[in-house]
Amino acid sequence: MKFVFFGLLGLLPAVFAAFGVTTSGNNLLVDSGGGLVTTINKSNGDITSLVYNGKQLQDSSKYTQLSSGLGKWSVKRKLSLAILTQSYRTHYYIVRSGVNTLYIGTYASAEPDVGELRFIARLLKSALPNGIPAAEMNGGSTVEGSDVFLVNGQTRSKFYSSVRFIQDQVHGVTGSGVGAYIIIPSVSYETSSGDINNQGSAQQELYWYMNSNHEQTESYRTGFFGPYALAITSGSAPSASLDTSFMDSLGLQGYVAASGRGTVSGSYSGTLSGPTVTIGFKNSAAQYWASGSGGSFARTLMKPGTYTVTLYQGELEAGSGSVTVSAGKTSSITLSSSLSRPSTIWSIGTVDGTPSGFLNADKIQTMHPLVFPLFSDSRMSNWGPVTFTVGSSSAGSFPMAQFKAVNNPTTIKWSASSSQIGARTLRIRTTEAFAGGRPQITVNSWTSSAPAAPTAVDSRGVTRGTWRGINQVYDFAIPSGTLVSGSNTITINIISGSSGDTFLSPNIVYDSVELF
């Protein structure tokens, strides 16, 4: 690894004369000149001390580092530049005079042997006690694995601190007169697949995950991760507008300056009026997002290359295209939804790639469905099994997830008119599946064939606070003569060749159910 520290001089007046880097034994002492003094171990790159206006913020038993520490480094220093070298990674810390922020960049050509690539600030809990409440697990007992806990009757997990990249530019922890925040400009997610922001344990752990295998649906990207920053404040959150333009001339490995990037603008059509519209861009080297509004969108600061472009209706893939980005230029693309939009007899939920509006969907991202040993979290509604009556039941009574060993089956009651019977299709859209779970239906006395198992994703899925996996659509052709004028019963069973106990049994997450 290479560990590189740049000190940028002359940015503020001489009142910040303490700014600079000094060597003390095996340590680099980095003084921002604005109240923050950072100590870095020259042998392994760990941050062992963060003193802000005389207050120690760094935990002394576990340090701030990449991943869980990356071993020994060789050291070379020239003026205000120190380089620690080890294999295929380069990590940068940069401090600007008078600014209490560590500007950070990480280059990696492969995942570290110790596990997922992540930056962890392990901070002193007494100085920074206030993290994300759903991720505060200190003193709890284990509910699932080694990462979901029960604290005072509520489930807690570091997974519950996750925020979608498109929404997450600043997150942090606070104490009396102090705050520590990670800042991630939107461009800085271009190589990342992480998801955890915070865990409150004996330490206050503040994360920026660069790569995570939790519900991983694409191969890892490598290269330059960032720029990102660890900002220390007097408590309030810093601006998400992190000026990193000064990095353009520093020659950071893998870094692409603004002048070497391009823009895509375009238009879209055919999406539903309710769900938000997002346009995604991806290739093997980078990924980006843009929000759509009024039929148009634009995305700046993209690395050159050819990208697959996806039009999302909510979080459901609705259309696609391809665009090539060139440095200093604006490319254009027109997208349209290719989603099938049949005239439905009835529908449950919105076709948007999420379980929004369904039973417990508003809770699942910050609560585990299971409290040890066999009872649902008291803040959640009973999972069922549920009987849903078309025309009188609300979408909020339909389960957002169905587990083979918990709430199987889901029953739909429907009274049909003579014009609504005959050969029909029941379409079930799902956003995620676990352990090969998929739906099979029975309509009155007729039972469908069993669908093939969905593409497997190696993750626990919904029990770790997410509905986001691989969207699937199941179309069941109901033969003529099956439905009758009057009362009909449709049951949805989750089937699988695998098994599991309760909420770790095969399961699916619903997006919508439509009859047409």
Side-chain angles (χ1 to χ4, degrees):
M1 167 174 284
K2 295 180 180 178
F3 172 84
V4 184
F5 180 86
F6 292 87
L8 302 186
L9 300 172
L11 298 178
L12 290 176
V15 66
F16 299 110
F19 171 72
V21 184
T22 59
T23 299
S24 176
N26 196 43
N27 298 310
L28 295 177
L29 274 62
V30 185
D31 195 325
S32 72
L36 178 66
V37 179
T38 304
T39 301
I40 302 172
N41 185 311
K42 292 195 299 181
S43 296
N44 57 23
D46 289 354
I47 293 177
T48 58
S49 176
L50 282 165
V51 177
Y52 174 69
N53 291 338
K55 178 184 287 188
Q56 179 61 258
L57 306 182
Q58 175 62 53
D59 185 77
S60 60
S61 61
K62 292 184 178 180
Y63 298 130
T64 293
Q65 55 196 191
L66 277 181
S67 299
S68 298
L70 294 172
K72 295 289 185 181
W73 305 358
S74 60
V75 180
K76 178 181 178 182
R77 184 181 178 203
K78 181 179 180 182
L79 297 176
S80 58
L81 172 63
I83 305 175
L84 283 74
T85 304
Q86 182 201 67
S87 185
Y88 52 86
R89 292 177 291 269
T90 305
H91 190 60
Y92 303 90
Y93 288 125
I94 305 164
V95 174
R96 305 179 75 183
S97 179
V99 182
N100 295 322
T101 295
L102 295 178
Y103 296 83
I104 311 171
T106 303
Y107 174 84
S109 59
E111 286 297 292
D113 296 336
V114 297
E116 300 159 322
L117 186 63
R118 55 190 178 169
F119 173 78
I120 312 176
R122 294 187 175 92
L123 304 172
L124 192 62
K125 192 70 170 287
S126 60
L128 295 154
N130 307 314
I132 298 172
E136 177 53 68
M137 44 67 65
N138 197 32
S141 56
T142 302
V143 169
E144 181 185 321
S146 59
D147 45 31
V148 184
F149 300 86
L150 181 64
V151 179
N152 298 325
Q154 297 182 355
T155 46
R156 309 284 180 82
S157 176
K158 61 186 179 182
F159 296 129
Y160 302 156
S161 68
S162 176
V163 178
R164 292 193 307 157
F165 287 171
I166 197 170
Q167 298 171 309
D168 185 22
Q169 273 65 66
V170 178
H171 59 262
V173 297
T174 62
S176 178
V178 65
Y181 294 88
I182 299 289
I183 309 174
I184 318 104
S186 62
V187 70
S188 301
Y189 285 115
E190 63 190 5
T191 45
S192 298
S193 61
D195 59 349
I196 295 171
N197 287 346
N198 173 230
Q199 177 172 258
S201 60
Q203 296 79 38
Q204 188 68 275
E205 300 172 8
L206 184 61
Y207 293 83
W208 185 49
Y209 257 73
M210 286 163 265
N211 274 336
S212 161
N213 64 1
H214 308 137
E215 202 72 15
Q216 183 182 352
T217 58
E218 297 181 8
S219 299
Y220 287 136
R221 293 175 175 87
T222 56
F224 186 84
F225 295 84
Y228 55 107
L230 174 61
I232 308 301
T233 75
S234 59
S236 59
S239 170
S241 299
L242 185 70
D243 179 13
T244 59
S245 59
F246 65 91
M247 293 185 179
D248 289 0
S249 60
L250 295 181
L252 311 184
Q253 186 174 6
Y255 178 91
V256 178
S259 61
R261 296 173 177 268
T263 295
V264 173
S265 65
S267 61
Y268 64 90
S269 61
T271 56
L272 292 178
S273 60
T276 59
V277 171
T278 303
I279 295 84
F281 306 84
K282 68 177 182 180
N283 59 26
S284 61
Q287 61 185 351
Y288 306 94
W289 304 270
S291 296
S293 178
S296 62
F297 64 90
R299 172 69 210 205
T300 61
L301 297 175
M302 295 176 62
K303 291 195 293 190
T306 298
Y307 293 85
T308 297
V309 187
T310 304
L311 173 66
Y312 289 93
Q313 176 175 286
E315 298 181 19
L316 180 65
E317 302 92 334
S320 63
S322 179
V323 69
T324 298
V325 177
S326 300
K329 297 181 179 180
T330 297
S331 303
S332 61
I333 186 171
T334 299
L335 300 168
S336 61
S337 173
S338 58
L339 282 177
S340 170
R341 296 178 62 177
S343 177
T344 61
I345 297 172
W346 52 257
S347 61
I348 307 170
T350 302
V351 180
D352 65 357
T354 83
S356 179
F358 285 159
L359 180 70
N360 289 323
D362 59 334
K363 303 178 181 71
I364 198 66
Q365 292 185 99
T366 57
M367 304 175 198
H368 193 285
L370 179 67
V371 171
F372 184 83
L374 293 174
F375 302 99
S376 289
D377 190 306
S378 61
R379 297 171 294 172
M380 286 188 170
S381 300
N382 187 291
W383 284 91
V386 166
T387 296
F388 183 94
T389 302
V390 174
S392 60
S393 296
S394 68
S397 66
F398 195 89
M400 60 86 61
Q402 188 171 328
F403 305 84
K404 182 179 179 183
V406 176
N407 59 342
N408 224 15
T410 294
T411 302
I412 300 173
K413 297 285 189 180
W414 167 54
S415 182
S417 67
S418 58
S419 64
Q420 294 173 325
I421 62 176
R424 298 292 178 181
T425 297
L426 187 77
R427 174 171 291 168
I428 300 175
R429 292 185 183 273
T430 65
T431 71
E432 182 183 75
F434 175 70
R438 67 269 199 192
Q440 184 180 33
I441 70 168
T442 296
V443 182
N444 297 328
S445 60
W446 172 83
T447 298
S448 72
S449 59
T455 301
V457 177
D458 185 18
S459 178
R460 302 198 302 272
V462 71
T463 68
R464 55 151 295 266
T466 186
W467 63 61
R468 298 178 175 101
I470 298 176
N471 295 318
Q472 302 276 355
V473 58
Y474 299 91
D475 279 353
F476 298 96
I478 302 171
S480 180
T482 301
L483 294 169
V484 299
S485 181
S487 179
N488 293 272
T489 300
I490 301 173
T491 57
I492 305 173
N493 277 281
I494 302 308
I495 62 170
S496 175
S498 301
S499 60
D501 294 330
T502 62
F503 292 90
L504 287 176
S505 64
N507 60 71
I508 63 166
V509 175
Y510 284 103
D511 166 32
S512 56
V513 181
E514 301 173 295
L515 182 71
F516 55 91

